[in-house]
Amino acid sequence: MRMFFAAEWHDRAEHINVTNPFNGEVIDTVPRGTVADVDAAIATLVEGAKLMRNMPSADRCRILRKTVELIQKRAEEFAQTITLEEGKILAESRLEVSRGCETLEVSAEEAKRITGEVLPLDAAPGGAGKFGFTLRVPCGIVAAITPFNFPLNLVTHKVGPAIAAGNAVLIKPAGDTPLTALKLVECLLEAGLPPQAIACLTGPGSELGAAICTDRRVRKISFTGSYDVGTAICRMAGVKRVTMELGSNSPVIVMDDADLDRAAQLVAMSGFANAGQVCISAQRILTPRTRTADFLDALKPRVEALTIGNPLDETTKMGPMIRESDAVRVENWIHEATSAGATLVTGGTRCGTLHAPTILANVSPSQRISCDELFGPAVAVTPFTDFDEALALANGTNYGLSASIFTRDLDRALRFAREVDAGNLHINWGTQWRADFMPYGGLKDSGTGKEGPRYAIREMTEEKMVVIH
Ligand code: NAD
């Protein structure tokens, strides 16, 4: 495919291969964009931002709704593309397509609800007779820098609110998964988005990313990706608005009063979807010492039922990891933990990018598989003695994106919600659940700011204060 900027599709002499992570086959190529392309893209987006700022919200809403219709017509093509470039199984890709549509639909609704507030200025000394209100105006140009693991929905989480709020958008999709984002641009253009208001540049993340993030014409950076790249962007950005949606190693606390079968079923879902490559994957499973064996008995058959293979095959339950180097990293971290005394309950094997779904038990919290972000198909089970210890273990991490507890005790559930430092807290479900309209974002090193169209629009608009004297 070609990339889109300066109101046109562009090719370049140099290309980058897009490969199928399952078998390494080249499925397409994209141009290798340059720093000069970033400059040209932003110059046109400045014009696009003016068009968007003057576009009535009803029209912005209509464009987003039309985009949803166009994606829905091509839903199976989008799903196949996601599976081919990202490696998740088709059922998960189809779900992602419907979620991407939902995110755009909610953004379309929110386009009509951007309001300010009236302030009682007569409450201030000398304020009698004055009238004050706030106005929300678009930021101008929003840079949307996205990760590989949800090539459609995490792009719509930035593009939808940015357009709803009246901005121009520069998408820098992940190097491994640019095709879905380019197809989304096709739909946005066909739906009537002014071509000056959108760009999607393909090419090396660090080179293009640095040019985008240091450009003063970009007012807002919305980034989803790893902690390290997020930190580098924050250093480069200077005075800009920044949203950081970063990684995690989400804990699940299974209390002694929990329904173990249900907890096991939901841990299997939360830990292994998309081969564990989800920012809110369940990674650390904390179980009462006295019930750990029963919990493992319930979890093991469910994890062993996750057959791995070609994600295009409808019978496959788990596909490959994005790159072989990531699968090797998972293999190494598992090996480190077992060398330090952890027990391999199931899995632990690897063939190329396919890593078997793995359970480790008796894992020390100091192991990398417990304290870093694994982003792969394994869970680390660690026993605790009492609830205080469970809460301390859950909080014993730099991350804070999602956490969950299984218990029938309301007092414990509420204490968990108050005391565990995570942006998303689930009671009697796994860590991996999201409605796309809810406020979503991490605490601590998991990031700053919120997504979910209503909340993202707040971060993609500027607030002005107007006083009539
Ligand atoms: P990544 O950080 O490697 O890349 C993310 C994006 O940043 C890509 O588009 C990449 O090209 C770009 N990039 C790379 N170097 C850059 C630089 N120097 N300047 C600017 N941009 C640069 O992440 P990934 O491997 O694609 O995705 C996995 C990570 O994303 C995990 O840590 C995961 O937890 C996180 N993630 C977080 C959320 C969330 O909502 N919090 C959701 C999904 C994924």
Side-chain angles (χ1 to χ4, degrees), residues 54-272:
N54 293 321
M55 183 185 280
S57 56
D59 290 354
R60 303 194 308 257
C61 173
R62 237 188 316 274
I63 289 170
L64 289 168
R65 289 225 156 106
K66 181 73 189 165
T67 307
V68 172
E69 270 174 40
L70 295 167
I71 296 173
Q72 281 166 343
K73 278 194 192 137
R74 296 169 60 180
E76 188 57 21
E77 175 200 339
F78 267 94
Q80 298 263 344
T81 305
I82 293 172
T83 290
L84 278 172
E85 66 178 351
E86 201 273 348
K88 67 180 61 163
I89 58 170
L90 261 180
E92 289 175 354
S93 295
R94 290 182 184 129
L95 180 64
E96 182 175 349
V97 175
S98 83
R99 285 187 55 195
C101 288
E102 173 70 11
T103 304
L104 291 173
E105 177 61 38
V106 176
S107 301
E109 289 166 10
E110 293 297 335
K112 299 198 220 168
R113 295 185 196 136
I114 301 169
T115 57
E117 58 181 329
V118 173
L119 282 96
L121 292 186
D122 61 357
K130 299 188 193 295
F131 183 73
F133 61 95
T134 62
L135 269 181
R136 284 209 163 265
V137 297
C139 279
I141 299 176
V142 173
I145 304 179
T146 53
F148 76 84
N149 63 331
F150 285 89
L152 181 62
N153 196 30
L154 292 182
V155 183
T156 60
H157 263 290
K158 302 187 186 310
V159 172
I163 291 171
N167 295 292
V169 198
L170 170 49
I171 308 169
K172 215 306 286 158
D176 294 303
T177 57
L179 303 177
T180 311
L182 291 165
K183 285 176 193 266
L184 170 66
V185 172
E186 288 175 352
C187 294
L188 287 162
L189 292 168
E190 194 182 336
L193 186 69
Q196 299 90 333
I198 184 96
C200 183
L201 292 173
T202 53
S206 51
E207 223 172 289
L208 301 189
I212 294 166
C213 296
T214 52
D215 195 302
R216 297 181 76 154
R217 294 168 293 180
V218 172
R219 172 64 176 163
K220 161 84 196 174
I221 301 169
S222 178
F223 173 77
T224 302
S226 60
Y227 172 80
D228 289 348
V229 173
T231 306
I233 290 176
C234 287
R235 289 210 179 96
M236 288 189 278
V239 181
K240 285 190 178 64
R241 294 175 152 258
V242 172
T243 298
M244 288 283 140
E245 299 282 346
L246 310 176
S248 193
N249 55 5
S250 304
V252 177
I253 303 176
V254 181
M255 293 306 297
D256 49 9
D257 62 348
D259 175 341
L260 287 191
D261 261 349
R262 184 177 156 77
Q265 178 201 344
L266 288 159
V267 164
M269 271 168 63
S270 274
F272 299 94

Side-chain angles (χ1 to χ4, degrees), residues 437-460:
F437 63 80
M438 69 190 204
Y440 181 93
L443 309 188
K444 303 199 280 187
D445 285 357
S446 291
T448 65
K450 294 286 177 202
E451 287 202 329
R454 180 171 161 204
Y455 309 93
I457 285 172
R458 289 194 68 84
E459 302 195 9
M460 293 176 177

